[in-house]
Amino acid sequence: MNYDALLNVTARDIPPSGIRRFFDIAAEMDDVISLSVGEPDFQTPWHVRDVAIDSLQKGHTGYSPNRGFTALCREICDYYERKFHLSYDYRTDVVVTVGGSEAIDLAVRALVNPGDEVLVPQPSFVCYAPIAALTGAKVVPIVTRRENEFRLTADALREKITDRTKLLILPYPNNPTGAVMRREHLEEIAAVLRDTDIMVLADEIYSELTYNGTPHVSIASIDGMKERTVVVNGFSKSYAMTGWRLGYALGPAPVIAVMTKIHQYAIMCAPTTSQYAAIDALHSGDGDIAAMRDEYDLRRRLIVNGFRELGLDCFEPEGAFYIFPSIARTGMTSEAFCQKLLETKHVAVVPGNAFGDCGEGFIRVSYAYSTHHIEEALRRIRLFLKEEGLI
Amino acid sequence: MDKILTILKDNPRLTNAQIAAMVGQTEEAVGEAIADYERRGIICGYKTVIDWEKVELTEKVTAIIELKVTPRRDTGFEKIAEEIMAFDEVESVSLMSGGYDFSVGVTGHTFKEVALFVAKRLAPIQSVISTQTTFILKRYKQAGIILSPAQADERGADIL
C-alpha cells in the first residue's frame, strides 16, 4: 500500500526530530557522558511513591472523574493560590491531564481554528509548532535573543501580531535557554495583549525551578491577564515525576470546559495512581522541591562557571535546568559541534537549532546530573576544544 | 548544613575555585573555610571509595568484629577504644548500643590473617570479654555509593 498517500498530510509533513541520529550514535557508545536529557536525575520522593503504592494496595484501580479527582483539583488550586497568588475555582477552572504535554495539546485544540496564527517564541520546547500545525494553524516564530537574555520583548511581540493572531505561547522558565520572565517583563507583554482578543498559553512546567531568589511570576497574575490565559503546569520537573505522566491546566471556565471535553473523548482521565501520588506531592512536597532546587542551583553555578572558563559565552540562566552557551566562536555549526564532540569525546549535548532556527550557534546543556558527571563532561569538552585549537 | 560541607560530602575532588563558583564566594574564602573545618576536626579526612574486587591481583578481606568489654573504672570505654584503634589493621571503631560494645572493622589480605589478628591482638586486650568475627563477602553500597554494577541512566534520551 502507498502509505504516503494514505497518511494525514499535515501529520506526515511534520519534520521528524533532527537530533534523533545523535541519540542513535550515543546509544552505541558504552562510555558516553550525556548532558542531553531533559528530566530530573532525582527520583520521586518516597512519601509520594508510598501514597501511590498504598492506593494500589487498597484497590483504587478504576477511572477517576474526567477532569480529575476533586481532591486533586482542590490541591492544585490551593497550590496556585499559595505560590502564585491566583484564585481558581476547583470545580470549573482546572483539568488534570496526562503530563503538561496533553494540557498544551488540549489548550491549542480548544482555542485554535484553521488559519489562525499561533505565536511561538523560540528557542523553545519542540512540541508547540507541531501541535499547532495539526490544528491547521499558521505557526509564527518569534525570535528571542541572547542580548535580551532570551526574553520575549514587547517590541518583538508587537511586530508579529496580525488580525489573525489567536494564541501566544509563553514558555518561561524556558527550555532550552533557562531564561525567565520577571514581573516587569510580563507587565510589558500584558500591556501589548490587554486590549486584544489574543489568548496566552503559559507553559509553567519549570515554575518551581528558578534561582537567584526570584520566584516565578505567572502572567495570569498580572492585571487583566487571568481571563486571557491558560496556565499549564505539571509534576514532572518540580517533583521528579516524569514517568507518572501528570499535568494540569488552569484557565477561564469556558476554555477549560472545552479542553475537558476533548480530554474526555481522547483520554478519558489521567492515570488514577498518579493522581493519588500528586495529591500527596502538592500537599507535602514543598520541602522536596526546595531540596532539589538547592541542588540544581549548585550544579548550575558549577557548569556556568565551567563553560565560561572554557571561553564559551554563556548567559546566566535563572530557571529550568539547562544552560545555553554560544559556540559561535568555534566557527562550527551547532550540529557539527555536537556531532564532533560526540564522535571524538563521547559527550552528548543538544544542538540549539533543535529548538528553532534561531538556536543556531548555541548548544543546550542539561545539568540534571551529578557534579561528578558534570566535571567529567567539562574535562572532555576542554580536551575537545584544545584539540580543535580553540583554547 | 553548610553548603561547602554538603558539596564536599558528595564530591571532595572539586577544586576550591569550582566550589567558590557554586556557593558564590571567592576562592580564598572557600579555602579558608575548608582549612578552618579541618582545623576544628569537622572535616576529618578525604578517602576514595574503591571496589577492590574490580582491581586485579588485589585481595582484601574485611571483617566486622563484635567486641564485648568490661568498661574500666576511671576511663570507661575511651581508653579501650584508643588501644583498639591504634592498630593499622583497624579501619573503624564504633561504640554500640545493644548486645555488644564495640564494632571494629578489620582488613587484611586473607581470612586467616584477619582471624589471627583478632586472636593475637584484639582478644588479649585487657577488658575484652569476647569477640565475634563476621566476614564481609560482598559490598553493595559503601559511604552512600552503590558499588556494582554501575547503574545505567534509564532516562529517555530522545526526550527534549
Side-chain angles (χ1 to χ4, degrees):
Chain A
M1 293 180 74
N2 180 6
Y3 292 108
D4 233 26
L6 286 173
L7 288 164
N8 170 280
V9 180
T10 314
R12 187 195 64 194
D13 293 346
I14 291 174
S17 162
I19 57 162
R20 186 65 251 179
R21 63 195 174 89
F22 285 101
F23 295 130
D24 291 342
I25 300 169
E28 296 294 308
M29 299 172 175
D30 57 2
D31 64 340
V32 68
I33 285 278
S34 171
L35 295 178
S36 63
V37 167
E39 63 177 309
D41 59 325
F42 299 104
Q43 286 166 338
T44 307
W46 258 117
H47 62 89
V48 176
R49 287 189 255 174
D50 280 336
V51 170
I53 292 166
D54 186 52
S55 80
L56 290 173
Q57 282 177 333
K58 286 184 177 146
H60 296 314
T61 55
Y63 293 127
S64 78
N66 295 124
R67 62 164 49 251
F69 284 122
T70 302
L72 178 54
C73 295
R74 272 178 189 266
E75 286 289 352
I76 290 168
C77 293
D78 283 355
Y79 169 83
Y80 254 78
E81 175 88 57
R82 180 169 88 236
K83 292 264 181 168
F84 307 114
H85 318 294
L86 274 161
S87 296
Y88 287 101
D89 186 333
Y90 70 91
R91 291 162 302 193
T92 54
D93 301 349
V94 55
V95 57
V96 179
T97 57
V98 180
S101 303
E102 191 211 341
I104 293 166
D105 184 43
L106 292 179
V108 172
R109 285 208 268 171
L111 288 166
V112 175
N113 288 307
D116 286 351
E117 293 179 359
V118 176
L119 305 178
V120 181
Q122 289 179 343
S124 62
F125 183 50
V126 293
C127 83
Y128 309 116
I131 287 175
L134 283 169
T135 64
K138 183 182 170 202
V139 176
V140 181
I142 305 179
V143 173
T144 65
R145 297 179 192 286
R146 162 73 175 89
E147 56 265 35
N148 299 321
E149 299 182 309
F150 294 106
R151 291 185 175 109
L152 175 64
T153 63
D155 286 344
L157 171 61
R158 215 177 280 117
E159 212 172 275
K160 298 290 184 182
I161 290 176
T162 70
D163 49 9
R164 301 303 310 264
T165 304
K166 168 60 70 70
L167 180 65
L168 166 68
I169 310 283
L170 197 66
Y172 293 92
N174 183 270
N175 168 13
T177 63
V180 300
M181 299 273 289
R182 296 217 190 83
R183 177 173 295 281
E184 62 264 34
H185 310 116
L186 294 170
E187 293 279 6
E188 284 178 27
I189 300 302
V192 177
L193 297 176
R194 214 171 270 133
D195 300 321
T196 71
D197 281 333
I198 298 170
M199 292 289 293
V200 177
L201 195 177
D203 184 351
E204 304 187 346
I205 194 77
Y206 291 101
S207 60
E208 285 290 358
L209 299 178
T210 62
Y211 313 103
N212 289 352
T214 47
H216 173 72
V217 177
S218 176
I219 192 163
S221 66
I222 308 288
D223 264 358
M225 290 308 293
K226 191 180 165 217
E227 66 207 61
R228 59 189 83 244
T229 301
V230 176
V231 169
V232 168
N233 210 324
F235 299 85
S236 295
K237 317 292 181 177
S238 43
Y239 299 95
M241 289 178 71
T242 43
W244 301 76
R245 306 311 306 126
L246 207 69
Y248 53 89
L250 294 160
V255 180
I256 294 294
V258 173
M259 288 172 64
T260 307
K261 191 165 61 182
I262 302 170
H263 171 76
Q264 171 188 340
Y265 290 125
I267 302 288
M268 191 75 79
C269 69
T272 311
T273 312
S274 303
Q275 293 192 51
Y276 283 110
I279 292 169
D280 181 66
L282 288 169
H283 197 261
S284 317
D286 284 1
D288 303 293
I289 291 177
M292 288 189 265
R293 182 196 300 124
D294 286 350
E295 181 63 34
Y296 285 131
D297 191 24
L298 293 175
R299 299 166 179 187
R300 178 183 72 101
R301 291 158 172 269
L302 175 68
I303 201 165
V304 168
N305 182 62
F307 270 83
R308 285 182 179 165
E309 280 187 346
L310 294 174
L312 296 179
D313 170 61
C314 182
F315 104 100
E316 187 182 340
E318 294 192 309
F321 42 58
Y322 312 100
I323 63 168
F324 203 61
S326 164
I327 49 117
R329 100 178 169 78
T330 67
M332 289 182 238
T333 64
S334 297
E335 295 216 6
F337 180 94
C338 292
Q339 181 146 1
K340 203 160 189 188
L341 180 63
L342 181 58
E343 281 169 358
T344 62
K345 291 287 167 282
H346 297 190
V347 175
V349 296
V350 181
N353 59 322
F355 305 93
D357 293 340
C358 57
E360 180 54 52
F362 297 88
I363 55 173
R364 188 193 76 172
V365 183
S366 161
Y367 51 89
Y369 294 91
S370 72
T371 57
H372 295 276
H373 196 96
I374 291 169
E375 260 191 292
E376 171 61 11
L378 287 169
R379 189 186 69 79
R380 292 190 194 186
I381 295 169
R382 175 184 298 279
L383 212 57
F384 173 72
L385 294 174
K386 256 191 191 150
E387 285 171 18
E388 294 293 317
L390 293 163
I391 48 174
Chain B
M1 206 199 310
D2 182 285
K3 271 189 187 172
I4 295 175
L5 291 178
T6 314
I7 293 166
L8 284 175
K9 175 177 73 67
D10 289 326
N11 190 349
R13 296 195 64 199
L14 292 166
T15 64
N16 287 1
Q18 285 173 316
I19 295 169
M22 292 167 83
V23 299
Q25 295 177 19
T26 65
E27 194 177 336
E28 290 70 27
V30 168
E32 272 169 34
I34 293 174
D36 187 50
Y37 285 133
E38 290 171 352
R39 261 196 309 275
R40 289 158 61 198
I42 291 172
I43 293 177
C44 306
Y46 306 85
K47 281 237 175 184
T48 306
V49 177
I50 297 170
D51 187 353
W52 287 105
E53 276 189 28
K54 291 190 183 125
V55 184
E56 282 177 46
L57 301 175
T58 51
E59 223 177 315
K60 212 163 172 260
V61 175
T62 303
I64 305 295
I65 325 292
E66 297 174 6
L67 281 188
K68 283 187 188 164
V69 304
T70 314
R72 293 176 191 166
R73 182 187 297 273
D74 299 326
T75 57
F77 291 105
E78 298 301 307
K79 287 288 174 195
I80 308 172
E82 278 175 25
E83 273 185 55
I84 297 168
M85 63 191 169
F87 296 106
D88 287 343
E89 291 88 340
V90 171
E91 253 189 7
S92 62
V93 182
S94 312
L95 183 63
M96 313 299 285
S97 68
Y100 58 97
D101 301 304
F102 285 111
S103 174
V104 181
V106 174
T107 58
H109 292 97
T110 62
F111 284 81
K112 191 174 169 189
E113 189 184 302
V114 172
L116 284 175
F117 172 78
V118 174
K120 287 186 174 172
R121 301 286 177 219
L122 292 187
I125 292 174
Q126 198 195 358
S127 321
V128 170
I129 302 167
S130 72
T131 69
Q132 181 165 333
T133 304
T134 40
F135 285 97
I136 292 176
L137 298 180
K138 184 172 168 64
R139 291 175 193 277
Y140 295 96
K141 190 173 182 181
Q142 200 178 348
I145 298 170
I146 292 171
L147 299 183
S148 168
Q151 281 192 311
D153 192 336
E154 288 180 338
R155 287 179 286 169
D158 55 343
I159 298 164
L160 287 175

